[in-house]
Amino acid sequence: MCHIRAGGIFLAVLVCLTVRMPEALAQSPGSIEQNFANSLTAVPTEGLTASGAFYVPVYSSVSMSQGKLRADFSVTLSVHNASETRPLVLKRIAYFDTSGKMVESYLKSPIALKPFATVEVAIATTDTRGGTGANFVVDWAAAGEIAEPAVEALMVGSVGPGHYAFISQGRPIRLPGKN
């Protein structure tokens, strides 16, 4: 019972924060470097010998009532460096729509995350460019062996009087390994 209450409170706070945020289109390219400067470090100068990629399905819109209605959701993509000792280099964070067309690229050049640090990309509820089959691709690399990063997306939205939140986990599309 206590877990249900705590989960409900967390969801209510999350929805309130989401509702009060100013509505805008997708986070602008280059803002990761500005918004998460404390999470970043210098890109390693030694060769990047390990790499991988994640595919993350997201739902900026969901069809309902046999396709007659559409519910729109905000999306927050989070990329976590799961290494305690090594920086994680992010080479690409790209957002694609239902037809597979790239909507936005969020990195101008590679960035490096400090150990255990995180960066996020936010898609506002009003930004429906991704559609019902939107997705992200995240390419990463490291100088040496590293724990595989954790990549997931949180979708939050309202349908009528109900508020909903759900998570989509990234799936490796290129196995981690040597370049």
Side-chain angles (χ1 to χ4, degrees):
M1 180 76 162
C2 187
H3 292 306
I4 294 171
R5 228 180 251 153
I9 291 170
F10 171 76
L11 185 58
V13 168
L14 186 62
V15 168
C16 287
L17 289 173
T18 302
V19 170
R20 292 183 182 188
M21 288 175 51
E23 293 295 338
L25 288 179
Q27 180 175 322
S28 63
S31 62
I32 288 176
E33 293 89 335
Q34 296 165 357
N35 295 342
F36 295 95
N38 292 336
S39 295
L40 303 179
T41 188
V43 174
T45 55
E46 63 267 31
L48 300 175
T49 58
S51 66
F54 278 91
Y55 173 88
V56 188
V58 299
Y59 305 92
S60 60
S61 297
V62 176
S63 294
M64 300 173 61
S65 298
Q66 294 82 35
K68 295 177 185 170
L69 296 174
R70 185 184 81 202
D72 298 326
F73 292 87
S74 66
V75 175
T76 302
L77 174 79
S78 295
V79 181
H80 304 266
N81 182 355
S83 172
E84 188 171 5
T85 59
R86 292 190 185 264
L88 174 73
V89 176
L90 298 178
K91 297 169 89 175
R92 174 173 73 148
I93 300 176
Y95 183 50
F96 295 86
D97 69 10
T98 303
S99 68
K101 177 183 168 210
M102 188 167 66
V103 173
E104 200 80 57
S105 178
Y106 291 93
L107 296 178
K108 294 176 185 174
S109 60
I111 60 171
L113 277 175
K114 293 176 183 175
F116 285 158
T118 302
V119 294
E120 297 176 346
V121 171
I123 307 292
T125 306
T126 56
D127 183 350
T128 59
R129 296 178 296 165
T132 57
N135 60 82
F136 282 94
V137 173
V138 177
D139 291 335
W140 63 269
E145 290 185 10
I146 190 169
E148 192 172 61
V151 183
E152 59 189 12
L154 170 67
M155 279 68 59
V156 178
S158 304
V159 178
H163 303 287
Y164 301 92
F166 54 99
I167 293 174
S168 178
Q169 295 183 335
R171 294 163 173 80
I173 56 174
R174 189 170 60 240
L175 295 177
K178 295 183 178 181
N179 286 338

